[in-house]
C-alpha cells in the first residue's frame, strides 16, 4: 500500500511537471498571428530611395516577389492593410500586389504632379505667401492643360469616367472626388476640371502606362 501510494504521488508530480512545462512554453511563445487589419491608408508613396524602387509580393503571409517593382516617388491606392506573423506591416495595392509598409509613406507624393513640383520650388518663401504662390501656380498650370489622349486612349478614358462618376466633375464618394474619382490628396486642393484631367492623366501614366491598360484593369477588378 505504501509503495503504491508513493508510485501514485510520483506519477502525479511528473504529470504536473509536464503540464507546467507546456504552460511555460505556451506562455513564453510570442508568435504573432498574421492578419488583415483595418485599413489605415488610402494612398501610399514609395520612399525607398536606395535602389530607386521596391519589390511587389504575391501575399503578406508567405511573400514571394512577383518580379514587378515600383519606382520611388510613385503613389498608389491601398486596398488592404495587414501584418505578417513577424509583425511586419504590409499594404495590398490591389489584386494581391503587396508591398512592405516600411518602404512607403502614407499620402500622395508632393512631386508627383507639375503643380506640386512648383510648390516645392518655393519652399524658401514665407508660409502665407508660399501658399498663395502655390495656389496661383496650380490654377495657372491646370487652366491651360489639354489632355493628349486620342483614339483608343481617349475612348478608354471616357469609359472610365462614365463608370466612375457619370462624367461629373463634381461627383464625390468619401475621399474620392471628381470625374475620375481621384483621392482628394491627388488634386492638392484644386478641383477644377482642367486639374482633374491633368492629374488623372498623370496618375494613369504612372500606374498603368496608358488609359487602355487602366480600362483593362478596371474591367478585371472594378476599380483602377
Amino acid at each position: 500500500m505504501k509503495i503504491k501510494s508513493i508510485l501514485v504521488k510520483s506519477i502525479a508530480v511528473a504529470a504536473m511537471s509536464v503540464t507546467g512545462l507546456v504552460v511555460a512554453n505556451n506562455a513564453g511563445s510570442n508568435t504573432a498571428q498574421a492578419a488583415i487589419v483595418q485599413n489605415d491608408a488610402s494612398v501610399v508613396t514609395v520612399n525607398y530611395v536606395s535602389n530607386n524602387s521596391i519589390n511587389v509580393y504575391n501575399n503578406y503571409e508567405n511573400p514571394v516577389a512577383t518580379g514587378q517593382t515600383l519606382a520611388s516617388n510613385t503613389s498608389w491606392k491601398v486596398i488592404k492593410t495587414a501584418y505578417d506573423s513577424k509583425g511586419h506591416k504590409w499594404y495590398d495595392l490591389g489584386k494581391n500586389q503587396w508591398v512592405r509598409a516600411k518602404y512607403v509613406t502614407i499620402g500622395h507624393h508632393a512631386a508627383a504632379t507639375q503643380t506640386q513640383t512648383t510648390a516645392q520650388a518655393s519652399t524658401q518663401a514665407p508660409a502665407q505667401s508660399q501658399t498663395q504662390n502655390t495656389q496661383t501656380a496650380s490654377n495657372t498650370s491646370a487652366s491651360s492643360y489639354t489632355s493628349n489622349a486620342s483614339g483608343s486612349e481617349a475612348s478608354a478614358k471616357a469609359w472610365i469616367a462614365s463608370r466612375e462618376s457619370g462624367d461629373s466633375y463634381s461627383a464625390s464618394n468619401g475621399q474620392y472626388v471628381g470625374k475620375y474619382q481621384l483621392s482628394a490628396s491627388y488634386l492638392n486642393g484644386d478641383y477644377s476640371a482642367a486639374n482633374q484631367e491633368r492629374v488623372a492623366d498623370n496618375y494613369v501614366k504612372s500606374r498603368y502606362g496608358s488609359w487602355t491598360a487602366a480600362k483593362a484593369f478596371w474591367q478585371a477588378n472594378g476599380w483602377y
Side-chain angles (χ1 to χ4, degrees):
M1 293 292 292
K2 189 174 182 180
I3 295 175
K4 183 177 180 181
S5 176
I6 294 173
L7 182 60
V8 170
K9 288 180 180 179
S10 298
I11 293 173
V13 170
M16 289 177 66
S17 298
V18 172
T19 302
L21 181 61
V22 172
V23 171
N25 284 342
N26 287 339
S29 175
N30 293 317
T31 303
Q33 296 296 315
I36 292 176
V37 298
Q38 183 176 358
N39 202 10
D40 66 355
S42 59
V43 177
V44 293
T45 296
V46 180
N47 67 355
Y48 193 56
V49 182
S50 313
N51 296 327
N52 293 318
S53 66
I54 62 173
N55 290 323
V56 175
Y57 295 85
N58 61 346
N59 65 72
Y60 69 94
E61 295 175 286
N62 298 294
V64 176
T66 63
Q68 180 185 3
T69 60
L70 304 180
S72 287
N73 299 329
T74 56
S75 300
W76 309 89
K77 283 185 180 180
V78 174
I79 306 304
K80 298 174 187 173
T81 301
Y83 285 87
D84 61 27
S85 60
K86 295 180 180 179
H88 299 143
K89 188 177 182 180
W90 294 79
Y91 288 119
D92 179 13
L93 306 182
K95 208 171 183 180
N96 288 323
Q97 299 177 92
W98 295 86
V99 295
R100 281 281 300 275
K102 67 180 289 186
Y103 299 130
V104 299
T105 52
I106 293 176
H108 186 62
H109 180 54
T113 66
Q114 180 180 349
T115 298
Q116 292 161 328
T117 302
T118 302
Q120 278 192 324
S122 353
T123 52
Q124 301 304 317
Q128 183 175 3
S129 61
Q130 178 184 342
T131 301
Q132 294 171 340
N133 290 341
T134 299
Q135 189 62 47
T136 301
S138 175
N139 291 337
T140 301
S141 62
S143 62
S144 60
Y145 178 79
T146 301
S147 176
N148 60 6
S150 61
S152 60
E153 283 293 284
S155 176
K157 183 178 181 180
W159 186 94
I160 287 178
S162 175
R163 279 150 185 80
E164 288 289 322
S165 68
D167 295 321
S168 172
Y169 287 112
S170 60
S172 132
N173 180 17
Q175 64 178 322
Y176 300 108
V177 297
K179 185 174 180 178
Y180 302 97
Q181 289 294 280
L182 301 164
S183 174
S185 62
Y186 279 44
L187 296 168
N188 196 33
D190 181 357
Y191 302 128
S192 67
N195 193 47
Q196 289 185 38
E197 294 289 340
R198 180 178 57 79
V199 174
D201 280 344
N202 287 344
Y203 168 76
V204 166
K205 181 179 179 180
S206 170
R207 179 165 186 136
Y208 301 103
S210 68
W211 280 100
T212 51
K215 177 182 176 181
F217 185 92
W218 199 108
Q219 291 173 316
N221 300 276
W223 60 275
Y224 78 112

